[in-house]
Amino acid sequence: MSEFLGPLDSIGRVPPQQQTRVAAFLISAHGALARQLAFALPQQMKAGWQTELNAQLYRESEIVSLMMRATSWVVDPELLMLTASWESSWLPKPVMGLNDNALALTIDLAALGHAVHAAIRPAALLPEKALAGDAFVMALRRIEFESGRVMQAQIVFLKGHDLLPYRDAVNAAVEQRHRQVRDLWDAMLRGIGVERAAKG
Amino acid sequence: MPFLALGSYRIRYELEGPKEGPAYVLVNGLTQYAELWAGYRAALVARHFRVATFDLLGQGASDKPGLFITQDDQVAALGLLIDQLGDGPIFLGGISFGGLIALRYAIAHSDRLKGLVAMSSFAELSPQLLLLGNALRTGLILGGTSYLQDLLLPMNLSDAWLGPQLGNLDAIKRQGWLTNDVYALQNLMESFLDFKPLTSQLGSITVPTLILNGEFDFLTPRSLHESLRVHIKDSALVIMPQAYHAFTLEKPELTADLLARFAEEVLAGKWKGGQSVWIAPEKAGGALIPFPPEQDHLRAIPKATVPT
């Protein structure tokens, strides 16, 4: 097990099998966010937050499109089972303790978005010698860089005044989604020989 | 890797040195992690101290809450670590944000400490520091950890240190970039959103206190350290020559030596704070020089002291 993707080939590219698994996971997670945002957006037309939501919808679509094109794909039969498991994990789960079901679902969507953009750091998997100009390497760096900004939509909403009365429920939802996303990400990485250093 | 339990969160810590020795607890700056104290551990253990370091909540290998971190959480984590150290003498040191956490602990628990070292620290947010903090947070949000490091390195380290490292900066930044996450750093920065000045509470710090301030510290300049000196009765301000905000990284041998000498003086009953002002030596082991009393230590240009 290594903390990083590899071993790299002679010019510094990530093995295609690892590219395939990482890309499939990212497409699944960001694709799910894009789909859920597309449904949530019409319900938020009066909210200031919709500006951020709208931007995020297109960023998520961009990530999916980028990974599809930048990845050196190989056949990976295990993805059939893995993808089904990942997809079921992204299904909406209304936050407990709120009477307003629409708000409970929106908080869950924001919590999932926060977890996907905060807990997944694809560029941190790249070894120092990864080929800087390689499409997959550049895509991972781009996704991690953009995540820092995209995450702000979630932070503005989840830390906003409107949700202060529900702070404990919001906090619990975010922590639960973080744990879930981290566990799935770590399990996927172990499947391709990558073990992240112990972190919080 | 041992952990402390702070509620449902884990705090990663490290203890090194003789169990019976006096303890030194060192608190990280906001963008740091415990391994940056490795040189201090070795130097202080060699002088028979037991050294405790840890990653703050939201840093390094400690848990990183998704949304909310308060400074009270950090003080509580520090308290848990200090509780591990038994009843022997305890010295507490912190740099920058860690200095603020150490001050907060000392305000509440002076009786638990034998001495305090506040390095590049502050008890209030001056307009400059407030605006710089906001700008750094925006830089983090827009440009990520790497951009924040790009801002902090030239702000906090000298040309003498940066010059030879220019070709190696990416490697130097990489470990910090790998260790700390954007959202967690943002949470740490946002723990200042409801910050209340501590100045009026500094009088509660009754233990000997060494205040270390880089000569050219731009982020937390002399005036913020002066506020600590004036309000902490048994204090001494020591100006680190040719140093900026991050002198613990730039001058580890000198700083570790000053920390050890301070504790040794306190333990030997030889410490005389008296709210005095000193100039640190250029190198470890050198003599401290009293700041010329006829000169104003708050000014960069020679200026006679205004009688009070």
Side-chain angles (χ1 to χ4, degrees):
Chain A
M1 288 280 184
S2 161
E3 276 187 60
F4 302 106
L5 295 169
L8 304 174
D9 71 10
S10 60
I11 61 166
R13 289 176 303 198
V14 174
Q17 204 275 333
Q18 290 184 338
Q19 290 194 33
T20 297
R21 198 68 71 87
V22 170
F25 184 94
L26 293 173
I27 287 170
S28 172
H30 291 282
L33 283 172
R35 289 192 301 275
Q36 292 184 34
L37 283 162
F39 280 108
L41 199 52
Q43 300 168 43
Q44 305 287 335
M45 293 305 276
K46 289 181 185 166
W49 189 50
Q50 69 140 321
T51 306
E52 299 288 347
L53 273 185
N54 187 60
Q56 190 181 346
L57 169 61
Y58 290 98
R59 291 286 89 75
E60 303 296 356
S61 309
E62 179 192 340
I63 290 170
V64 170
S65 147
L66 179 62
M67 286 318 301
M68 286 174 72
R69 288 185 292 108
T71 303
S72 295
W73 294 97
V74 292
V75 175
D76 183 350
E78 284 184 54
L79 277 182
L80 281 172
M81 290 295 288
L82 286 171
T83 306
S85 152
W86 297 333
E87 290 295 330
S88 66
S89 302
W90 315 140
L91 292 173
K93 292 178 198 143
V95 172
M96 304 291 282
L98 273 77
N99 294 327
D100 183 339
N101 197 50
L103 182 61
L105 281 167
T106 309
I107 293 171
D108 176 61
L109 171 56
L112 177 61
H114 189 283
V116 168
H117 287 285
I120 297 178
R121 292 191 55 191
L125 298 175
L126 294 168
E128 277 185 279
K129 290 190 165 39
L131 180 64
D134 175 68
F136 184 74
V137 169
M138 288 183 78
L140 293 195
R141 291 198 168 129
R142 167 99 185 164
I143 291 168
E144 182 164 325
F145 181 74
E146 286 296 339
S147 281
R149 302 188 200 195
V150 174
M151 193 187 347
Q152 298 309 313
Q154 279 64 225
I155 292 173
V156 168
F157 174 63
L158 293 167
K159 287 187 172 179
H161 282 290
D162 291 350
L163 294 189
L164 277 182
Y166 313 111
R167 179 170 159 151
D168 289 346
V170 168
N171 200 36
V174 170
E175 296 297 333
Q176 192 273 330
R177 281 297 194 182
H178 266 250
R179 270 195 304 279
Q180 179 192 44
V181 168
R182 266 202 307 267
D183 289 348
L184 291 170
W185 177 242
D186 288 346
M188 181 279 295
L189 291 175
R190 280 195 296 277
I192 53 173
V194 177
E195 178 88 58
R196 290 198 308 149
K199 288 172 83 176
Chain B
M1 193 182 283
F3 288 89
L4 298 163
L6 178 69
S8 60
Y9 295 121
R10 299 178 315 155
I11 301 294
R12 178 248 172 171
Y13 72 100
E14 205 161 316
L15 288 178
E16 204 173 315
K19 208 170 178 180
E20 66 283 1
Y24 239 117
V25 183
L26 301 170
V27 191
N28 307 335
L30 194 142
T31 59
Q32 298 187 335
Y33 48 97
E35 274 318 292
L36 291 174
W37 294 112
Y40 289 77
R41 279 202 290 269
L44 292 170
V45 168
R47 290 169 77 156
H48 313 295
F49 288 96
R50 190 180 194 205
V51 181
T53 54
F54 68 113
D55 288 324
L56 291 164
L57 187 64
Q59 275 185 340
S62 289
D63 278 349
K64 295 170 179 165
L67 287 180
F68 302 107
I69 303 179
T70 68
Q71 291 181 12
D72 289 342
D73 293 330
Q74 309 294 10
V75 177
L78 172 59
L80 285 174
L81 178 57
I82 288 176
D83 288 346
Q84 302 288 306
L85 300 174
D87 296 328
I90 293 170
F91 293 86
L92 172 62
I95 169 83
S96 192
F97 180 73
L100 173 69
I101 299 305
L103 285 169
R104 291 186 59 138
Y105 181 87
I107 286 168
H109 308 287
S110 244
D111 55 328
R112 195 72 181 86
L113 301 176
K114 193 76 178 172
L116 173 69
V117 185
M119 298 175 271
S120 302
S121 296
F122 52 96
E124 58 215 54
L125 291 177
S126 63
Q128 278 185 330
L129 184 56
L130 174 71
L131 295 175
L132 278 167
N134 286 342
L136 291 170
R137 175 171 161 265
T138 304
L140 174 73
I141 290 168
L142 294 178
T145 310
S146 185
Y147 182 58
L148 180 67
Q149 290 173 313
D150 287 342
L151 292 172
L152 289 174
L153 281 169
M155 194 186 287
N156 291 340
L157 294 155
S158 73
D159 279 343
W161 190 90
L162 288 168
Q165 306 284 358
L166 278 180
N168 194 34
L169 282 183
D170 282 346
I172 290 170
K173 286 162 55 183
R174 183 172 164 84
Q175 192 54 41
W177 173 80
L178 280 172
T179 305
N180 287 319
D181 297 341
V182 170
Y183 78 98
L185 287 176
Q186 187 174 342
N187 284 337
L188 285 165
M189 287 181 164
E190 289 176 358
S191 72
F192 278 103
L193 291 178
D194 57 354
F195 178 77
K196 304 277 189 304
L198 305 175
T199 314
S200 64
Q201 302 171 60
L202 292 174
S204 307
I205 300 177
T206 54
V207 291
T209 300
L210 177 65
I211 303 161
L212 298 179
N213 172 212
E215 180 183 4
F216 301 128
D217 187 344
F218 170 70
L219 195 60
T220 52
R222 188 77 26 81
S223 54
L224 291 171
H225 294 80
E226 178 69 356
S227 176
L228 303 181
R229 183 186 75 87
V230 167
H231 290 93
I232 300 175
K233 200 174 171 188
D234 196 6
S235 67
L237 169 64
V238 175
I239 299 167
M240 305 287 279
Q242 310 285 345
Y244 287 69
H245 187 70
F247 60 79
T248 55
L249 300 178
E250 183 165 349
K251 296 174 182 287
E253 293 87 6
L254 171 60
T255 311
D257 180 53
L258 292 174
L259 262 62
R261 283 159 67 175
F262 164 66
E264 286 159 2
E265 281 184 22
V266 171
L267 290 168
K270 293 179 179 170
W271 164 259
K272 290 187 175 60
Q275 297 176 314
S276 51
V277 184
W278 300 79
I279 301 168
E282 298 279 346
K283 291 206 160 66
L288 279 88
I289 304 165
F291 197 92
E294 67 278 8
Q295 298 294 334
D296 184 352
H297 62 278
L298 299 179
R299 298 296 301 265
I301 55 175
K303 187 91 177 165
T305 311
V306 179
T308 52

